[in-house]
Amino acid sequence: MNKLKQLSQATALCALMAAGAARAGEVEVLHWWTSGGEAKAATALKATLQKQGHTWKDFAVAGGGGDSAMTVLKSRVVSGNAPAAAQIKGPSLQEWAREGVLTNVDAVAAAGKWDEVIPPVVANIMKYQGHYIAAPVNVHRVNWLWANPEALKKAGAKLPTTWDEFFVTAEALKKAGIVPVAHGGQNWQDFTVFESVALGVGGVDFYKKALVQLDPATLTGPQMEKVLATFKRIKDYTDKNAPGRDWNLATAMVIKGEAGMQLMGDWAKGEFIAAGKAPGKDFICAAAPGTQKAFTFNIDSFALFQLKNAANQKAQQDLATAIMSPEFQELFNLNKGSIPVRTGMKMDKFDDCAKQSAADFAADAKAGTLVPSIAHGMAVPAAAEGAMKDVVSQFWNSDKMTAKDAQAKLASAARTK
Ligand code: GAL
């Protein structure tokens, strides 16, 4: 009798294991998180998925800002070989959904009460025709200035809060033999700096009209001329090795004190943290000059592609569930430099930069001063963004192009469909 019982228990266990094995799937995930802090954050995502018994297939395409990753993604989807999940952001999510290649995660979203825990401004981006087609991981703030306090001290310079002060500080750093501005001359980095200047010099209303609504009169108007002139002045304070440099190498210059400042989103904080540096002590985070009362947001999210294999479909839905879990949101964002996208999260493990970001995100959402980052795919369709980004870099790199020339080109690039 006992033997029989043992046997049936063993059979039940085998059946359970077989069912488990059948349920375990593989998720191939496309992303571009290859720098120090980014890689740590990606590892957190991988570990979360593996904990559920699934297999993670890494599909990392290096290149800050993700342009290379998007090119590779297009060719994979066109050849009928889409990954399970891909880091896709902003209006591009809608473009992919329109192609009919994404799967919806409504069941996961309903079970996880996403409508209650995702701010509406974010939820709208994650939905296509009312259905969730992507899972958000974080909120990055783009309008930050990073500084090395030692370098500022050596130069007898102060942390700038306006663009006039910025150039005074830059001049002092230069005199002290320190590279004033760490920069990587890649078009997305040029565009990242440009949007912070646009916000700081032009203000929120100008930013919305010019870089969200793409209003031709604003793009060709006097304020944009001032923005472009200010933007171009920054170039004199970058070093001769800037062209082509990766953003994380620029951040490393600030970490080491070779450079004084960097204008970059808070994925840069992930680099400082990965290097063992502490905010307020080894580095300073501050709103980019003139942008204290505004917030350019950049939300990383994973879109899920239609798959045929049932086990992989299950793994894919589990990934979406895991992404929105409070545990994952905390661990991931502590490494990534961003803040959780999920509302109501405890921030006690986060540093002062993240706490400031979270407080400002809420305040700016209320005040109407929360704006989407154009340089990071949040504001306008990819075609217009790409064309405008190229114009901004041409202007940055050219000795001949005037601000007026650049304005005309920007207005025409904004019409790219
Ligand atoms: C952004 C992305 C961030 C960060 C950065 C640099 O577009 O949203 O997560 O990875 O590029 O690669």
Side-chain angles (χ1 to χ4, degrees), residues 11 145 261 374 401:
T11 319
L145 175 72
M261 306 182 280
I374 185 168
M401 196 189 289

Side-chain angles (χ1 to χ4, degrees), residues 70-399:
M70 288 304 101
T71 307
V72 174
L73 176 65
K74 269 177 208 146
S75 68
R76 279 281 302 264
V77 178
V78 166
S79 62
N81 185 22
Q87 187 187 351
I88 300 178
K89 305 186 299 180
S92 286
L93 285 168
Q94 316 298 314
E95 293 173 24
W96 280 106
R98 265 198 296 277
E99 295 294 320
V101 289
L102 300 185
T103 188
N104 96 40
V105 278
D106 282 346
V108 169
K113 301 197 167 58
W114 287 13
D115 277 339
E116 288 167 35
V117 295
I118 300 179
V121 64
V122 180
N124 289 341
I125 304 169
M126 302 301 137
K127 285 179 184 175
Y128 176 67
Q129 295 179 342
H131 301 286
Y132 277 103
I133 39 111
V137 288
N138 63 359
V139 178
H140 269 304
R141 184 182 199 172
V142 181
N143 59 317
W144 284 111
L145 175 72
W146 307 93
N148 181 310
E150 265 306 302
L152 291 182
K153 204 164 136 205
K154 249 191 229 161
K158 66 172 206 157
L159 186 74
T161 58
T162 64
W163 285 103
D164 285 344
E165 288 178 8
F166 179 87
F167 291 110
V168 173
T169 295
E171 199 54 45
L173 285 162
K174 195 176 185 176
K175 286 219 175 80
I178 299 165
V179 175
V181 183
H183 183 67
Q186 296 176 345
N187 64 359
W188 73 271
Q189 291 187 62
D190 300 341
F191 212 25
T192 299
V193 172
F194 170 80
E195 74 171 32
S196 281
V197 176
L199 187 64
V201 171
V204 169
D205 289 343
F206 164 81
Y207 183 100
K208 285 183 183 165
K209 270 197 206 136
L211 302 180
V212 182
Q213 293 150 23
L214 303 179
D215 172 50
T218 311
L219 286 169
T220 52
Q223 249 175 332
M224 183 55 97
E225 193 174 354
K226 204 168 155 210
V227 166
L228 283 163
T230 308
F231 166 68
K232 190 65 185 273
R233 259 182 91 188
I234 299 173
K235 194 178 173 205
D236 290 341
Y237 297 100
T238 62
D239 67 326
K240 65 172 190 341
N241 296 325
R245 176 189 285 135
D246 286 331
W247 68 271
N248 53 318
L249 300 182
T251 307
M253 291 168 70
V254 181
I255 293 176
K256 291 186 220 142
E258 291 167 13
M261 306 182 280
Q262 183 184 18
L263 289 150
M264 185 51 65
D266 44 20
W267 45 93
K269 197 188 76 186
E271 295 301 300
F272 284 102
I273 301 294
K277 304 293 177 191
K281 184 171 147 269
D282 307 313
F283 69 95
I284 305 172
C285 59
T291 71
Q292 292 78 2
K293 295 232 168 307
F295 190 118
T296 24
F297 68 88
N298 168 24
I299 288 149
D300 286 313
S301 48
F302 283 93
L304 306 173
F305 283 84
Q306 285 166 16
L307 301 175
K308 291 200 182 82
N309 179 299
N312 293 352
Q313 284 172 355
K314 168 79 169 61
Q316 191 185 37
Q317 300 284 320
D318 286 352
L319 178 76
T321 304
I323 281 176
M324 278 302 294
S325 70
E327 301 75 34
F328 170 75
Q329 292 267 322
E330 182 179 89
L331 180 64
F332 177 86
N333 287 299
L334 282 171
N335 287 298
K336 189 70 170 72
S338 38
I339 55 170
V341 70
R342 197 185 164 100
T343 52
M345 292 274 302
K346 276 215 224 90
M347 292 298 287
D348 46 333
K349 289 207 188 125
F350 286 84
D351 59 36
D352 289 346
C353 305
K355 283 181 183 140
Q356 185 188 331
S357 184
D360 289 351
F361 182 73
D364 286 307
K366 227 187 213 161
T369 46
L370 192 60
V371 294
S373 162
I374 185 168
H376 292 276
M378 302 305 298
V380 301
E385 178 193 326
M388 291 172 76
K389 179 155 65 185
D390 286 345
V391 171
V392 165
S393 283
Q394 275 169 27
F395 175 65
W396 176 264
N397 291 316
S398 156
D399 293 332

